[in-house]
Amino acid sequence: GAGVSQSPSNKVTEKGKDVELRCDPISGHTALYWYRQSLGQGLEFLIYFQGNSAPDKSGLPSDRFSAERTGGSVSTLTIQRTQQEDSAVYLCASSLVSSLGQGKMETQYFGPGTRLLVL
Amino acid sequence: SQQGEEDPQALSIQEGENATMNCSYKTSINNLQWYRQNSGRGLVHLILIRSNEREKHSGRLRVTLDTSKKSSSLLITASRAADTASYFCATSERGSGNTGKLIFGQGTTLQVKP
């Protein structure tokens, strides 16, 4: 079946402009995550959606970043007034959530990412 | 914040040799996962080990977990040129309000020379 898809693959924008990044999770996956990966670095958690629960926004670096997930499926990450330090690869992942004994166990499936360059 | 520390940062070996990568973390975890990333794009899930497990195998991969030392290792046996990639460990933290979000290490870049 289809995996996680993201669009656009690449985005070049000018400093100060707004950008929207899209993520289509795997059908039926209730959990959706956004991560950011700067050049040569590991992934940094941004935000998490699970069903109808309030999202975990603890990783968003500033109030210029926001995300929504409509209808429990597609998600959009919006960056307002982009800055050069926002340049990174933005990765989306989705998973099923299961609770087994000692806690949740989830394998997250990642999309190919959106490479954002802010000039 | 990034809690995973991986070493080495870079590893270069000959095809057929074994590659070992290590990961340390700081908090109590539900599970630890290893991912592979090619060309700085999407991550591929390799293996998940639960906090009550000590060792797990999948094909040429062997993962160990030592919760007393808060460390894990990934061993790739009989390496191939196609194994060239960056490898990341990621932990799912234990605790109330745990959303299952993953905390990633900085990664180990593996180069396998043919």
Side-chain angles (χ1 to χ4, degrees):
Chain A
V4 177
S5 61
Q6 292 185 244
S7 61
S9 298
N10 295 280
K11 177 71 176 179
V12 180
T13 190
E14 293 179 348
K15 178 181 174 180
K17 296 284 181 67
D18 298 351
V19 296
E20 284 190 353
L21 312 179
R22 177 187 168 105
C23 172
D24 283 88
I26 293 173
S27 178
H29 280 191
T30 55
L32 186 147
Y33 304 79
W34 283 98
Y35 295 87
R36 176 171 71 174
Q37 185 178 30
S38 300
L39 185 64
Q41 300 296 311
L43 277 71
E44 172 190 14
F45 168 78
L46 297 177
I47 189 169
Y48 161 76
F49 295 91
Q50 166 55 21
N52 296 320
S53 302
D56 176 357
K57 303 179 181 180
S58 60
L60 295 179
S62 78
D63 58 9
R64 294 186 296 104
F65 288 72
S66 63
E68 61 178 21
R69 189 180 185 191
T70 54
S73 181
V74 172
S75 176
T76 302
L77 176 69
T78 301
I79 309 173
Q80 296 178 307
R81 305 181 301 282
T82 52
Q83 303 294 312
Q84 289 182 332
E85 61 262 29
D86 299 334
S87 297
V89 177
Y90 290 82
L91 291 152
C92 174
S94 70
S95 71
L96 289 170
V97 178
S98 63
S99 295
L100 293 174
Q102 60 183 155
K104 298 179 182 179
M105 294 175 51
E106 312 160 359
T107 294
Q108 295 184 21
Y109 296 89
F110 283 78
T114 293
R115 190 179 302 275
L116 174 66
L117 177 61
V118 182
L119 301 176
Chain B
S1 62
Q2 299 290 333
Q3 75 157 342
E5 298 288 336
E6 296 187 59
D7 90 279
Q9 290 187 340
L11 180 61
S12 181
I13 60 175
Q14 293 295 132
E15 204 166 29
E17 295 180 338
N18 296 342
T20 299
M21 289 161 269
N22 302 296
C23 167
S24 61
Y25 57 91
K26 297 176 183 175
T27 64
S28 296
I29 62 172
N30 285 320
N31 62 67
L32 185 145
Q33 305 179 44
W34 285 90
Y35 287 83
R36 184 183 72 204
Q37 185 178 41
N38 291 84
S39 304
R41 298 303 290 259
L43 276 74
V44 174
H45 182 262
L46 296 177
I47 196 165
L48 180 153
I49 186 166
R50 290 178 284 178
S51 59
N52 64 348
E53 296 178 314
R54 292 296 167 258
E55 187 171 314
K56 202 162 184 179
H57 297 255
S58 177
R60 293 184 296 111
L61 304 180
R62 173 177 167 252
V63 169
T64 63
L65 179 65
D66 186 336
T67 53
S68 67
K69 295 181 180 179
K70 290 187 168 58
S71 67
S72 173
S73 68
L74 170 67
L75 169 67
I76 304 174
T77 60
S79 64
R80 305 167 182 168
D83 294 330
T84 295
S86 292
Y87 292 82
F88 294 90
C89 69
T91 54
S92 175
E93 293 183 353
R94 182 187 297 274
S96 61
N98 175 28
T99 60
K101 69 185 183 186
L102 295 176
I103 308 297
F104 281 82
Q106 297 300 305
T108 293
T109 300
L110 173 65
Q111 181 185 30
V112 181
K113 300 176 183 177

